[in-house]
Amino acid sequence: MRYAHNPILSPEDLCPSQPSMQIECLLNPGVFRYDGKVWMLVRVAERPAQAEGEISFPVLDAQNRVTVMRVPAASPELDLSDPRVINYKGEDFLTTMSHLRLVSSTDGIRFREEAGYPPLTGSDRYEAYGIEDCRVTQIGTQYYLTYTAVSANGVAVRMRSTSNWRRFTDYGLVLPPHNKDCTLFDEKVGDLYYMLHRPSSPEIGGNYIWIAQSPDLRHWGNHRCVARTRKGMWDSARIGAGCAPIRTGEGWLMIYHGADASHRYCLGAMLLDAADPSKVLARSRTPVMEPEEPYELEGFFGNVIFTNGHLVDGDRIALYYGASDKVICRADLSVGEILENLRKDL
Ligand code: MAN
């Protein structure tokens, strides 16, 4: 059930990272508990105010400082057909640059920034176009952040860890391009750590969910394809995992997003085998959630529901999601109900 007063966070609720920037969108938060509160690590997408006759967008320069690129709006070598991407002279850039902002809440609904927790920003040339869609997985006292690092080198997965949200350990790129939608499991399966991830292989293959294992969270191997897109269905073009799968008596419950050829993003569920999570036991035939509300149908990029953060309390999943690439919303789902529907889909 959607929270009645969605959205819970909108661009005007936060301040831009610097006076020359404007917040265009808030997207796809990672969610975790820390210090007795609920926290979101929100993706904040910014760009400068657009001046007449030119298109401007931020990137990191060679010294990792935010700099603004400007291209003439009338250029025949400019392609703006996707609001998220700028193609200029055959090279791709992003219209906005994203960083990750920490906000906390005592009720899981009203979030605000807290002094002493600075934002996470792109830190080097592999993050020159920004950092996005961070999953947060708590394992013991450590929080592991797996996020999308975007640059001219490609779209890759990077990892940082922290125990106090002030100092971070950088693991570098754990998966090279093209890869995103990476989440760790929050406990070992057998003796090994597991991650779900989403490489793209457009010529042969597609945008499928894969799994990998690791003895130490640093070295990942034994990659196997877990699930593919399904022709003619709501998840026909690309799929990707949400955050850490939920351990249930029947296996690992994974919430995932699926998009069709028209870029309509819905959420579905898969049940993965408890001992071997590369095996799919069941999968939603129809979406668990699909864009319906006005704030999900229209925004920066409409018709999108995308999640990479939730909290589980008994049967209840407090699901946080980005709606139409613009605002942050919450919906509460029942583990039991999703499992029951998955049994019907067998
Ligand atoms: C896609 C979308 C964008 C994102 C880029 C880079 O175009 O998901 O929101 O910025 O990929 O990851």
Side-chain angles (χ1 to χ4, degrees):
M1 208 176 60
R2 286 166 176 85
Y3 174 57
H5 304 294
N6 273 342
I8 58 167
L9 210 64
S10 305
E12 52 277 13
D13 297 331
L14 299 178
C15 289
S17 61
Q18 42 178 292
S20 62
M21 290 293 159
Q22 293 181 348
I23 298 179
E24 289 297 320
C25 334
L26 299 185
L27 309 98
N28 320 340
V31 184
F32 56 96
R33 291 189 182 93
Y34 171 69
D35 196 23
K37 284 175 258 182
V38 176
W39 294 70
M40 294 199 292
L41 190 53
V42 179
R43 172 179 168 196
V44 178
E46 298 179 315
R47 68 174 161 188
Q50 298 297 295
E52 188 78 25
E54 66 178 24
I55 303 291
S56 57
F57 54 95
V59 296
L60 291 187
D61 67 12
Q63 281 74 47
N64 303 322
R65 290 174 310 217
V66 177
T67 175
V68 173
M69 304 250 304
R70 294 168 206 283
V71 301
S75 169
E77 292 178 291
L78 186 64
D79 178 358
L80 301 174
S81 53
D82 184 326
R84 304 167 300 180
V85 181
I86 292 169
N87 185 279
Y88 183 59
K89 296 192 172 171
E91 204 173 331
D92 279 328
F93 302 94
L94 294 180
T95 43
T96 58
M97 184 158 89
S98 295
H99 66 271
L100 305 172
R101 198 81 69 90
L102 281 159
V103 290
S104 70
S105 169
T106 48
D107 62 5
I109 297 286
R110 283 164 301 172
F111 286 83
R112 59 174 180 78
E113 289 188 81
E114 239 180 84
Y117 295 94
L120 281 78
T121 56
S123 60
D124 64 19
R125 66 196 181 96
Y126 294 106
E127 301 177 342
Y129 295 178
I131 58 177
E132 308 177 346
D133 303 348
C134 188
R135 279 77 175 165
V136 177
T137 303
Q138 188 178 356
I139 306 178
T141 57
Q142 288 292 317
Y143 296 86
Y144 293 89
L145 287 64
T146 47
Y147 61 88
T148 308
V150 194
S151 75
N153 297 302
V155 175
V157 175
R158 189 144 174 178
M159 187 161 95
R160 302 184 197 182
S161 73
T162 185
S163 59
N164 55 22
W165 294 96
R166 290 185 166 95
R167 283 181 308 281
F168 295 83
T169 303
D170 178 16
Y171 288 70
L173 297 185
V174 288
L175 296 167
H178 184 288
N179 208 316
K180 49 167 55 173
D181 301 326
C182 174
T183 182
L184 304 186
F185 284 60
D186 57 9
E187 55 184 289
K188 286 182 173 176
V189 184
D191 291 338
L192 296 167
Y193 295 103
Y194 277 78
M195 65 158 56
L196 295 164
H197 62 100
R198 208 291 297 283
S200 293
S201 180
E203 282 95 24
I204 299 177
N207 303 299
Y208 307 153
I209 296 177
W210 287 62
I211 198 164
Q213 1 175 272
S214 171
D216 58 5
L217 292 166
R218 226 173 242 286
H219 303 90
W220 294 94
N222 195 18
H223 297 265
R224 283 167 290 167
C225 186
V226 174
R228 297 196 200 173
T229 48
R230 297 178 292 189
K231 274 202 183 75
M233 294 182 70
W234 58 275
D235 50 3
S236 62
R238 62 185 74 83
I239 52 174
C243 64
I246 304 160
R247 187 153 55 82
T248 74
E250 298 175 37
W252 297 97
L253 177 62
M254 186 234 296
I255 310 281
Y256 74 101
H257 68 262
D260 61 16
S262 68
H263 305 295
R264 181 170 184 266
Y265 280 74
C266 301
L267 301 183
M270 286 186 212
L271 187 65
L272 309 178
D273 185 85
D276 177 2
S278 71
K279 282 191 200 145
V280 179
L281 305 178
R283 177 170 175 182
S284 312
R285 276 190 211 289
T286 52
V288 169
M289 261 180 88
E290 51 193 321
E292 278 164 6
E293 298 294 332
Y295 49 83
E296 297 164 348
L297 297 173
E298 261 174 67
F300 184 74
F301 194 77
N303 255 326
V304 171
I305 292 183
F306 187 104
T307 188
N308 52 259
H310 62 230
L311 292 175
V312 182
D313 185 8
D315 180 63
R316 194 196 67 184
I317 305 173
L319 181 106
Y320 294 85
Y321 65 99
S324 66
D325 278 2
K326 183 81 181 177
V327 292
I328 310 292
C329 298
R330 174 174 160 165
D332 287 8
L333 309 174
S334 147
V335 172
E337 235 170 75
I338 299 175
L339 290 175
E340 199 181 306
N341 286 330
L342 281 173
R343 273 182 230 117
K344 290 186 204 141
D345 283 345
L346 276 178

